[in-house]
Amino acid sequence: MNFMRLATTGALLRPEQPVGLSRAAPIMTLMVLGLGLAACTTPARKAEVQLPSAYEAPAGPALAPQALDQWWTQFNDPALNALVTTALAQSPDARLAAARLEEARAIRQGQIRQIFIPQTPLVGSAQRTDTDINEQSGVGAFTQGGVSKTYSANFDVSWELDLIGRRLAALRVVKNDMAAARFAYEGARAALAANVAQSYFEARGLAVQLDDARESVRIARSLADVAAERGRRGLIATSEGERAAADLAQAEAQAAALEAELRAARRTLLILVGKGVDPLETLPVTASLAKPPPVPAATPGQLLARRPDVREAAARLASASGNLNISELALFPTLTLTPGGGISKAITPSFLDAGAQTSTTSSAWTIGANLSIPVLNIPKLMTDIKASNARVEQAAITYEKTVQTAFGEADNALVQLAADERRVALLTAGERRAAVAYEASRKSFAAGLTDLTTALQAEQAWRAVRSASTAAQTQALQRAVQTYKALGGGWSPEAVPTKASAQ
């Protein structure tokens, strides 16, 4: 409801006229009142989350904090480094995250302009009127026919005085929304790096298993040949040769299945790095597994700064609190300055000289102010405040859940990684013993000192332990990747990207 006009058209206040205390007092009063009203808004909601001082798993070695920024370099694997670098630069996921961040930046720029730059419509108009006098009677008629032209241009400005901090509150919301978009971008890149590493180690584990399966085929074929030869000589029953041939077929089938799985894993990895249509030959996979690198020592409290999803949730909470303040400030009056200026020109037929035209050019400027008080909108504004307060509560709960989930993921990953490392050590030692036992049994069978059943049982025991050891090594490597990600690795909290790029 606009009810007060502070100035009218014309030079109401000239530059040489000083503004006395009588005129400045109302302005100072409004400013003091605005500051008092702004102090009535709800303070920013802070979610209290109590985290333990340490994880249950044993602490890792003291490494530099940068070890988490690009954790994949800790594996000392050039192929892995190249794949992650390529994925962050070329993969659809990385480019999609970059495009979303660019969208957020464009929205932020537009919102800041809308907050601080006045609304300045420049309106121009032109009109031509042709008047034909069909009939004219009576004394003193001055209506003239002919062509009339009118041109005008007006420049009106609307600028809200931020006496109660409404504009600053909106700016805080814009900044928090931008921060949330940035953390979502970093989280997407960190997740992509982890997915690439896990797929890479899965492919290498399958390559090792495929080599083992092919070795098992060779061993099974040798055993089948020995059994067939001894059966022809009548040294053993022919049924044992058939059994060895069946084991050979089963080993060959397992090798074929692993080969298909390895091809699928390599294709998945190519898709992750943005080269999904390239031939599989462009992605060689070495059939070897290394020991996982040590995970840096960390505390649960560091998750609040290291995890992108936690920082995004915190920014969302701050943004929701800012929107609540904006809803509360909407109850207060709005003082808007409305200066403007315009120029117009009118060309009309002359009353005194038939056929002649009269041209009039005029200019005017205004300076005024509108005071708007939302009297009848108070029920709706109160409803908006309740809705904003509910959204703040939702954001606070989401933040608390995100922190608890982050702690659970980090703690579980550390505990499971330690268990995986112990499991790998035990299975590696067992695999060495099983290999020695199988080799002795194979030589005894070839020499005729033991039967085929004994040799097959030794082989099956060795193959089972070796397969379990390979699976455990693969899982330990993938668990290390999961642990690095759970601790908030894969990005640098200090480095703010100046451009949404994967480089």
Side-chain angles (χ1 to χ4, degrees):
M1 178 171 60
N2 301 326
F3 64 88
M4 184 173 69
R5 188 72 171 176
L6 299 183
T8 57
T9 303
L12 185 62
L13 293 177
R14 294 184 177 85
E16 64 273 12
Q17 289 180 317
V19 179
L21 294 178
S22 60
R23 295 182 180 179
I27 299 177
M28 296 298 296
T29 302
L30 286 175
M31 294 181 64
V32 173
L33 179 62
L35 293 175
L37 293 176
C40 298
T41 57
T42 303
R45 171 67 183 273
K46 295 182 180 180
E48 297 295 336
V49 180
Q50 298 295 332
L51 291 176
S53 59
Y55 296 106
E56 294 186 6
L63 300 178
Q66 291 74 18
L68 278 174
D69 295 350
Q70 294 185 338
W71 51 260
W72 50 88
T73 59
Q74 302 299 312
F75 289 87
N76 294 322
D77 190 333
L80 174 62
N81 296 340
L83 287 173
V84 173
T85 302
T86 302
L88 294 178
Q90 301 180 12
S91 73
D93 291 339
R95 290 187 285 116
L96 181 60
R100 287 173 177 167
L101 183 59
E102 285 299 322
E103 178 189 9
R105 283 176 171 166
I107 293 175
R108 173 179 178 269
Q109 292 175 357
Q111 291 174 335
I112 290 178
R113 292 190 182 99
Q114 186 177 4
I115 292 173
F116 289 99
I117 297 180
Q119 300 178 10
T120 56
L122 177 60
V123 180
S125 64
Q127 183 178 2
R128 173 190 172 99
T129 304
D130 293 335
T131 304
D132 295 329
I133 305 300
N134 296 326
E135 182 180 356
Q136 190 176 41
S137 61
V139 180
F142 290 100
T143 302
Q144 298 292 324
V147 178
S148 300
K149 300 178 182 179
T150 303
Y151 307 95
S152 65
N154 297 285
F155 186 72
D156 298 324
V157 179
S158 178
W159 175 258
E160 178 186 349
L161 295 180
D162 193 23
L163 300 178
I164 60 175
R166 186 183 288 110
R167 187 176 293 112
L168 294 179
L171 179 61
R172 288 193 294 269
V173 171
V174 171
K175 290 183 176 180
N176 287 318
D177 288 343
M178 183 61 205
R182 183 255 170 141
F183 295 132
Y185 164 78
E186 299 288 5
R189 286 167 53 83
L192 174 62
N195 291 337
V196 169
Q198 288 185 324
S199 297
Y200 173 72
F201 291 128
E202 179 185 4
R204 293 190 66 169
L206 288 172
V208 174
Q209 292 180 3
L210 179 58
D211 282 358
D212 291 342
R214 288 170 177 170
E215 183 67 15
S216 297
V217 169
R218 184 189 64 81
I219 295 172
R221 182 174 291 109
S222 299
L223 291 173
D225 292 342
V226 172
E229 180 64 23
R230 295 183 66 184
R232 283 193 299 269
R233 295 180 181 180
L235 300 176
I236 60 174
T238 57
S239 60
E240 293 193 9
E242 296 298 332
R243 179 180 175 181
D247 288 338
L248 173 60
Q250 183 179 0
E252 290 176 340
Q254 184 179 4
L258 287 171
E259 184 175 0
E261 290 183 23
L262 177 58
R263 291 179 62 87
R266 292 166 68 188
R267 179 60 63 190
T268 300
L269 188 53
L270 283 174
I271 293 174
L272 280 175
V273 300
K275 297 182 178 181
V277 298
D278 289 4
L280 292 179
E281 291 73 17
T282 61
L283 182 62
V285 176
T286 304
S288 63
L289 294 172
K291 183 180 179 181
V295 177
T299 61
Q302 294 175 338
L303 294 175
L304 303 180
R306 286 279 349 173
R307 290 270 300 217
D309 55 344
V310 172
R311 299 191 65 175
E312 179 185 356
R316 300 289 184 195
L317 175 58
S319 178
S321 298
N323 282 319
L324 173 60
N325 294 151
I326 294 176
S327 298
E328 293 171 337
L329 292 174
L331 292 171
F332 303 139
T334 301
L335 181 61
T336 306
L337 295 180
T338 57
I343 185 171
S344 62
K345 181 178 182 180
I347 301 176
T348 59
S350 175
F351 292 108
L352 302 179
D353 187 1
Q357 293 182 329
T358 301
S359 177
T360 303
T361 302
S362 62
S363 62
W365 62 270
T366 61
I367 180 170
N370 294 329
L371 182 63
S372 176
I373 303 177
V375 177
L376 300 181
N377 291 338
I378 290 180
K380 178 184 179 302
L381 295 177
M382 294 300 296
T383 302
D384 293 341
I385 291 175
K386 292 181 179 179
S388 298
N389 199 12
R391 284 189 284 270
V392 170
E393 186 65 22
Q394 296 174 37
I397 295 173
T398 301
Y399 174 76
E400 294 173 1
K401 180 181 178 181
T402 303
V403 173
Q404 294 178 14
T405 301
F407 170 75
E409 290 178 354
D411 190 61
N412 291 339
L414 289 169
V415 172
Q416 291 171 346
L417 178 60
D420 287 339
E421 291 176 345
R422 292 194 301 269
R423 180 171 171 238
V424 168
L426 293 173
L427 289 174
T428 300
E431 191 270 335
R432 287 196 298 264
R433 294 186 178 93
V436 172
Y438 166 71
E439 185 64 22
S441 177
R442 187 185 69 83
K443 292 179 179 179
S444 298
F445 174 73
L449 301 177
T450 58
D451 58 3
L452 180 61
T453 301
T454 303
L456 289 176
Q457 289 176 347
E459 178 199 7
Q460 289 173 352
W462 172 63
R463 288 171 59 184
V465 177
R466 182 172 177 82
S467 177
S469 177
T470 300
Q473 291 177 16
T474 303
Q475 182 173 333
L477 288 168
Q478 292 180 323
R479 190 82 67 188
V481 173
Q482 180 182 351
T483 304
Y484 276 116
K485 178 186 174 184
L487 293 177
W491 71 296
S492 176
E494 290 77 18
V496 179
T498 57
K499 180 176 176 56
S501 172
Q503 296 296 333

